[in-house]
Amino acid sequence: MAGPDGALGSTFKVVRVLQAISLLAIIGMAANFISQMVSHNNAPSDVLVGTLTVTCIAVLYCAITYILYIDNILPFLINTGMDGMLLIALVVVAVVVGKPLSYLNCQVIGSSSVSESTYQLGLELKKSLHNDGSKIPYSNWIGASKVTCYEMKAIWGLSIALCILFAFSAICSVCLWRRSKAVAPKSVEG
């Protein structure tokens, strides 16, 4: 593969691939939840729609920058700024998704100690059946079942991992930019 060689260039490529894999996993899980909400005639949660929007934009960005990098035409300084902006967006996703999840213990869902939250979800679903398009709060959906809880915690964990990966790729981009400026092509006079 083309692109700048060396450990820094290889690291950049590996980080981009890990970002794409994590983003695609989040897209799949978030789309599954939105599908479940819509199939119950409820409006999708703003949290999940926002997560899906940010991750779709980010996966497109990762694909484009990877191709530009391989062709050796990636503007590293602009890439650093874009990585920083996506880092900020992913921090917001991680905080918004994780805020109610941090208090939730997935192992106890389904036991008698959380029967009240399951009852609450049932009441919310019953109310929403009378109002097509109504919204059930995100915090009620995440406690609906163990599987849902674990999947949302996976989205949360992957979004935290993406924050680290985008910070790392921004640092790599700055270093690659500095290296490309230090090794400027020499002009040949004839």
Side-chain angles (χ1 to χ4, degrees), residues 62-140:
C62 285
I64 290 169
T65 56
Y66 191 82
I67 292 167
L68 292 175
Y69 177 80
I70 289 174
D71 286 343
N72 212 10
I73 57 173
L74 180 64
F76 292 116
L77 207 51
I78 293 171
N79 186 60
T80 301
M82 292 296 294
D83 277 3
M85 289 188 342
L86 277 173
L87 171 63
I88 292 168
L90 286 164
V91 166
V92 170
V93 166
V95 169
V96 171
V97 167
K99 192 174 178 182
L101 280 172
S102 62
Y103 301 108
L104 190 59
N105 183 356
C106 297
Q107 293 177 346
V108 299
I109 292 178
S111 67
S112 61
S113 63
V114 290
S115 60
E116 289 179 16
S117 69
T118 306
Y119 177 72
Q120 179 67 25
L121 178 64
L123 288 177
E124 293 286 342
L125 284 171
K126 189 183 273 188
K127 270 196 311 190
S128 72
L129 288 176
H130 299 294
N131 303 325
D132 281 349
S134 65
K135 285 193 178 190
I136 294 180
Y138 162 73
S139 56
N140 286 0

Side-chain angles (χ1 to χ4, degrees), residues 144-159:
S145 70
K146 282 185 182 184
V147 173
T148 302
C149 179
Y150 283 127
E151 285 181 9
M152 283 309 299
K153 286 206 175 198
I155 289 175
W156 183 31
L158 286 170
S159 62

Side-chain angles (χ1 to χ4, degrees), residues 9-31:
S10 297
T11 303
F12 182 82
K13 288 189 276 189
V14 168
V15 167
R16 272 294 187 255
V17 169
L18 290 174
Q19 289 168 343
I21 291 168
S22 298
L23 288 165
L24 290 172
I26 290 174
I27 289 170
M29 287 184 276

